[in-house]
Amino acid sequence: MKNNKVLILFAHPAQSRSEVNLPLFRASQRIKGVTCVDLYAEYPRFRIDIKREQQRLLDHDVVIFMFPLFWYSTPSILKEWQDLVLEYGFAYGSEGNALHGKTLMCAISAGGAQEAYQRGGINHYHIDELLTPIERTAALIGMNYLPPYVLFHARTAADEQRLTPHIEQWQSIVSTLQSNELDCNALKALPMFQELQNIAKGVTQ
């Protein structure tokens, strides 16, 4: 079985203040064979090279959006990327089947506690519900959507010593995504990656 090629699209507009996403991205860069793209660094004026980005998608099997949750959505450049790159005739439409069968997932951080992202919490919705636009985009363009990998209460993660194990587990997850050993069909039913306990550990042992 051939290994999957993994593409990580990183979007953070204020990296000097990033306590979670930037360390997670840098750890991803250390994983052999993973393509890591800093969208704000590559396109500081938002002039996205559509053909270049489409070729990146064609060259990879797994696409990961890595970003902090901003106002219940993605940072603006990632939305711009979706608007321009996932165009008619390429990603959708009668002849737009270039991404069929590929995999999409999100690796995100949220400032609030997990309890805030519940029906009775301050945000009223579970995190997977807030990501529904991305999930439906994946469905429209024929990609397999995996549950998000989430770190809640991101601002206190380093002080509470939650950041390092989060990054270590992420590195294991990416490695298993590369090796094509995850049961993606089983994962689809989960609201978050973490709710399949010890998934990375169980696969890699």
Side-chain angles (χ1 to χ4, degrees):
M1 183 181 298
K2 76 177 186 68
N3 283 355
N4 286 324
K5 295 182 179 179
V6 177
L7 170 65
I8 296 178
L9 299 175
F10 172 61
H12 197 305
Q15 293 184 23
S16 63
R17 300 198 302 271
S18 176
E19 298 178 2
V20 171
N21 290 271
L22 187 57
L24 194 66
F25 181 66
R26 287 175 172 166
S28 302
Q29 292 175 307
R30 295 193 290 271
I31 304 174
K32 185 178 180 180
V34 175
T35 302
C36 296
V37 178
D38 182 343
L39 290 177
Y40 277 102
E42 292 213 6
Y43 304 112
R45 298 186 179 181
F46 280 51
R47 295 175 181 172
I48 293 174
D49 186 333
I50 296 172
K51 295 303 179 184
R52 180 186 187 189
E53 296 304 313
Q54 288 179 346
Q55 188 61 51
R56 278 175 168 159
L57 293 176
L58 292 173
D59 291 342
H60 293 82
D61 307 294
V62 179
V63 180
I64 299 169
F65 292 166
M66 182 179 289
F67 62 94
L69 194 66
F70 273 24
W71 292 109
Y72 310 108
S73 186
T74 69
S76 56
I77 199 168
L78 189 51
K79 182 59 168 65
E80 180 80 351
W81 182 97
Q82 294 174 72
D83 291 345
L84 297 179
V85 176
L86 303 178
E87 62 183 355
Y88 182 84
F90 173 77
Y92 71 101
S94 59
E95 298 180 0
N97 57 9
L99 305 180
H100 284 195
K102 295 179 184 289
T103 297
L104 177 67
M105 72 172 292
C106 297
I108 70 173
S109 64
Q114 185 170 354
E115 293 74 21
Y117 295 91
Q118 307 289 341
R119 289 295 181 188
I122 190 172
N123 294 310
H124 299 291
Y125 294 97
H126 197 281
I127 199 75
D128 66 319
E129 294 177 295
L130 295 174
L131 295 174
T132 296
I134 297 177
E135 185 273 329
R136 295 316 304 159
T137 296
L140 179 64
I141 63 181
M143 297 185 75
N144 298 309
Y145 180 76
L146 298 184
Y149 185 66
V150 187
L151 182 64
F152 293 100
H153 239 173
R155 296 183 184 91
T156 61
D159 290 342
E160 295 171 355
Q161 299 183 334
R162 291 184 290 116
L163 181 57
T164 296
H166 181 80
I167 291 174
E168 290 174 348
Q169 187 180 49
W170 173 246
Q171 291 174 308
S172 295
I173 288 171
V174 173
S175 295
T176 53
L177 285 170
Q178 284 181 302
S179 64
N180 216 353
E181 294 177 349
L182 290 177
D183 184 348
C184 292
N185 289 325
L187 286 171
K188 288 179 186 178
L190 299 173
M192 290 192 306
F193 235 95
Q194 289 92 323
E195 295 193 16
L196 184 59
Q197 293 183 354
N198 298 319
I199 181 169
K201 180 179 179 181
V203 172
T204 55
Q205 282 184 345

